Amino acid sequence: MTSTTSRPPAAEATRLVDYLAGELARSGVTHVFGVGGANIEDLYDAVHRGGAVRAVVAKHEFSAVTMADGYARTTRRLGVVAATSGGGAMNLLPGLAEAHASRVPVLALVGQPPTGQEGLGAFQDSSGKGGSFDARDVFGPVSRFCARVEDADALPELLDRALTAARTHPRGPAVLLLPKDVQQARLPLPGRRPAPAGDTASASSASVARLDPAALTSVTQTLRGAGRVLVIAGEGVAADDARAELAELARRLGAWVAVTPDAKDVFDNRDPRFAGVAGVMGHSNVEDCLRRADVCVLAGTRLPLVARDGLDQALADTEVVCLGPEPAFVECTAVGGDLREVLRTVAGRLPPLSRSCPRHAGPLPALTPDPAPRNTAPTVPPRNTAPTVPPRTTAGTVPYPQALAAVAAALPQDAHVFVDAGNAGAGAIHHLPAPRHGRFVVALGMGGMGYTFGAGIGAALATGRRTYVLAGDGAFFMHGMEVHTAVEHAAPVTFVIFNNNAHAMCALREQFLQGGIRGDDLFGRTDIAAAMAAAFPSLKVSHAADAAQLHKALLEGNEGPGPTFVALECDPHEIPPFRSFRSFGEAAAAPRTGDAADRPETESKESPHEQGIVRVG
């Protein structure tokens, strides 16, 4: 008889990339956005084989990051982007900078050449060896955590650290650099661990400091003694899902509520308490309320310059309280900590009775043309209208307020809205009410043009909801070809392109601030709708000649699946609602007096149909 000795079975092993794909799925990740390449193809192979996570290939790595960003902002889950080495890796930087500045949790998985080739002239080497630069030095400043995975055994710990850093206040990107041979290495499967938290708040709240009792007492006494209170709420309210807590605090305080330009969706824009948008693209009513207030409460915002433009003197004359995990940029009494907990605790120390807010003007637009006729698109609610000037616009163009009224009339209340940089974006922030049950996202961290095309796609794929992308032609020509990605994945995105054939904000700054328009920011006419219809035969494309056609096209797009694309012509000389331009607009809109009133109409540089929308040039 032959005896045998039992041996323990060999530890089960898997490719590092298979383990990584599995851990992403266990973390609640449903999509990975990116652009492939030789040094990241193994990860894409693992994602495909695993089946639990969907890979979405973008046209450019910047847009891939913004897809992950939009995904994170609308789901409050971690967004993931994967890119190859070299130029692909470098193209991630502006998108990661936006996520860093705006506190958006994103994980970037970046392929690298094999470790055996480092410092030996490898193609796209960024190891820091042999005269190459070190990718860690590049990604470090725009990330909360950055590490190179030198061997497979190091990944589990580094991944945990990356996920924790991305989700911890202050949130932001984490970067893992993955050499190709390490991706292919075998990794012994560890024992099953608890699944990482799938949402941002639960992963971050434990890291926030406990509430300071002394600060709470001071703030509570201040608020109890205040007769009039203005709350200015920021993007942190959306990031922490603290809308209900904000509304309850405002109810108990009898407060007016204003929002920062990137947080228009954190409070119902139709609520009688809503004072408008603060700052450079905002409403004058906010300053009026602040001057009347005894106390100003900052909730989920540090109040950066773009949100406090024009308010510094009033803030200096008012007692300011800041609630949230990060200190404000203005002098204040602060209660730091998890925003939802802070808002609940402060509200709980106030009398439970609901108080009405004092009367106020509401968020009246700075300048608007006449509303669209009744048989076209409905206007914005009467509460948000102001005395108008007679309509005058370049033939064939649609004034921004009329166009945005058409958008407001068609916008589903559960839709998401992504607003790009430029004159169109300023108009949307100023004029367009946020949907009641969707996000209204403006990327003000870096303010990069073209952000919305990827971000809107990421949001639509993540949530399945109709998502509106509002952008000008300048932003479209930067990253608008991501429409191809929307078509490929049947993403329910409505792209609305306000085409003024110019970098009009730059042209207006030249006109107002530099003595005249140079001309290099004004372009020849481009028929964007015709180009897109020719490029994408399956895409529903419309050209809107007026607000009524825009309204009709948007309603039709709402009814069908997949993407839709609408372009309209706008006047590059129309003055947007930027505070710095407002005095010029008011001067241009003022009636002529004296000698100017006596001049014959033929001396005007404008034809009769152009006299109504405020123009320059």
Side-chain angles (χ1 to χ4, degrees):
M1 173 182 263
T2 304
S3 63
T4 60
T5 303
S6 62
R7 296 179 181 176
E12 187 180 356
T14 186
R15 289 186 305 171
L16 178 142
V17 288
D18 294 311
Y19 170 83
L20 179 54
E23 288 300 296
L24 293 178
R26 293 178 65 239
S27 298
V29 174
T30 58
H31 294 72
V32 170
F33 306 95
V35 180
N39 285 329
I40 200 65
E41 63 189 2
D42 297 286
L43 177 60
Y44 279 98
D45 176 69
V47 168
H48 174 74
R49 290 174 183 272
V53 178
R54 180 180 177 186
V56 177
V57 176
K59 309 288 92 64
H60 192 279
E61 290 83 2
F62 168 77
S63 290
V65 182
T66 66
M67 289 178 192
D69 180 301
Y71 172 104
R73 294 198 203 214
T74 51
T75 65
R76 299 181 60 249
R77 296 197 300 265
L78 181 76
V80 181
V81 61
T84 193
S85 52
M90 296 302 101
N91 285 339
L92 298 172
L93 286 167
L96 293 177
E98 168 60 39
H100 183 279
S102 292
R103 311 304 197 244
V104 181
V106 171
L107 174 64
L109 304 171
V110 185
Q112 297 285 277
T115 55
Q117 298 177 9
E118 292 174 353
L120 299 176
F123 180 57
Q124 300 179 333
D125 188 3
S126 57
S127 64
K129 302 174 182 177
S132 66
F133 67 86
D134 193 330
R136 290 172 293 190
D137 295 335
V138 176
F139 287 107
V142 295
S143 63
R144 305 297 177 195
F145 177 82
C146 178
R148 187 187 306 276
V149 183
E150 302 286 0
D151 59 75
D153 292 340
L155 178 68
E157 179 187 351
L158 291 176
L159 179 61
D160 280 349
R161 291 175 62 187
L163 297 179
T164 299
R167 293 164 166 162
T168 300
H169 286 294
R171 305 181 185 108
V175 180
L176 291 179
L177 305 170
L178 301 168
K180 184 175 178 66
D181 58 320
V182 175
Q183 294 178 52
Q184 297 172 331
R186 309 295 290 185
L187 177 68
L189 286 178
R192 303 303 292 175
R193 297 173 297 145
D199 64 78
T200 300
S202 60
S204 62
S205 58
S207 67
V208 179
R210 292 188 177 276
L211 306 188
D212 182 345
L216 273 173
T217 299
S218 174
V219 165
T220 301
Q221 291 175 346
T222 297
L223 294 179
R224 280 179 171 271
R228 293 175 174 174
V229 178
L230 172 66
V231 175
I232 302 179
E235 161 68 15
V237 175
D240 284 354
D241 193 22
R243 292 176 179 84
E245 290 79 5
L246 171 67
E248 178 62 15
L249 179 65
R251 184 185 71 82
R252 295 193 181 199
L253 288 172
W256 302 299
V257 179
V259 295
T260 59
D262 58 348
K264 200 167 183 182
D265 61 317
V266 304
F267 191 81
D268 187 350
N269 294 185
R270 299 152 188 85
D271 190 292
R273 302 181 190 279
F274 184 61
V277 178
V280 67
M281 294 163 278
H283 302 98
S284 59
N285 181 57
V286 176
E287 182 179 0
D288 293 339
C289 290
L290 179 58
R291 293 189 181 281
R292 294 167 60 193
D294 301 310
V295 178
C296 177
V297 177
L298 307 181
T301 177
R302 304 180 70 191
L303 209 64
L305 188 59
V306 72
R308 72 174 192 272
D309 184 70
L311 302 179
D312 278 319
Q313 186 56 56
L315 286 165
D317 295 337
T318 307
E319 188 161 1
V320 179
V321 168
C322 179
L323 308 179
E326 294 191 75
F329 292 113
V330 297
E331 186 174 347
C332 64
T333 302
V335 179
D338 176 74
L339 183 59
R340 293 181 73 181
E341 183 182 359
V342 172
L343 292 174
R344 277 197 299 262
T345 303
V346 171
R349 295 186 174 203
L350 299 173
L353 298 178
S354 179
R355 292 171 54 189
S356 298
C357 71
R359 293 176 62 86
H360 63 117
L364 299 179
L367 290 169
T368 63
D370 285 334
R374 284 285 181 183
N375 61 350
T376 61
T379 63
V380 293
R383 186 172 172 276
N384 287 349
T385 59
T388 60
V389 295
R392 61 181 179 184
T393 182
T394 302
T397 63
V398 185
Y400 286 117
Q402 290 185 13
L404 291 163
V407 174
L411 184 66
Q413 288 305 299
D414 65 346
H416 302 303
V417 178
F418 283 78
V419 177
D420 219 300
N423 288 359
I429 292 168
H430 193 80
H431 293 289
L432 179 63
R436 282 189 172 93
H437 308 296
R439 291 298 329 265
F440 189 104
V441 176
V442 187
L444 290 180
M446 290 288 106
M449 292 173 67
Y451 161 89
T452 58
F453 293 93
I457 293 169
L461 292 177
T463 66
R465 296 191 196 178
R466 176 60 54 180
T467 300
Y468 274 47
V469 166
L470 309 181
D473 54 306
F476 170 79
F477 285 122
M478 289 190 179
H479 291 285
M481 283 300 101
E482 291 301 334
V483 171
H484 178 274
T485 308
V487 171
E488 287 291 302
H489 291 272
V493 182
T494 297
F495 298 96
V496 185
I497 308 302
F498 299 79
N499 181 14
N500 54 27
N501 295 292
H503 285 167
M505 186 191 300
C506 297
L508 291 176
R509 290 183 63 84
E510 294 160 16
Q511 175 74 5
F512 289 150
L513 306 175
Q514 296 185 323
I517 297 177
R518 296 189 294 271
D520 48 354
D521 284 311
L522 299 175
F523 313 135
R525 182 178 181 274
T526 303
D527 190 341
I528 295 176
M532 298 304 285
F536 304 107
S538 65
L539 177 64
K540 186 176 182 59
V541 179
S542 303
H543 178 271
D546 55 34
Q549 291 183 16
L550 173 60
H551 182 234
K552 181 175 182 291
L554 295 176
L555 290 178
E556 292 174 352
N558 293 344
E559 295 301 318
T564 186
F565 189 99
V566 186
L568 61 150
E569 303 282 333
C570 297
D571 188 342
H573 303 292
E574 183 179 342
I575 300 176
F578 282 106
R579 179 181 172 84
S580 57
F581 292 168
R582 199 162 295 167
S583 60
F584 297 99
E586 291 166 354
R592 297 190 305 168
T593 59
D595 293 341
D598 294 335
R599 292 195 193 107
E601 190 66 32
T602 53
E603 290 187 22
S604 171
K605 294 182 179 180
E606 298 172 329
S607 59
H609 67 264
E610 292 178 306
Q611 297 171 4
I613 284 291
V614 180
R615 305 176 75 249
V616 298

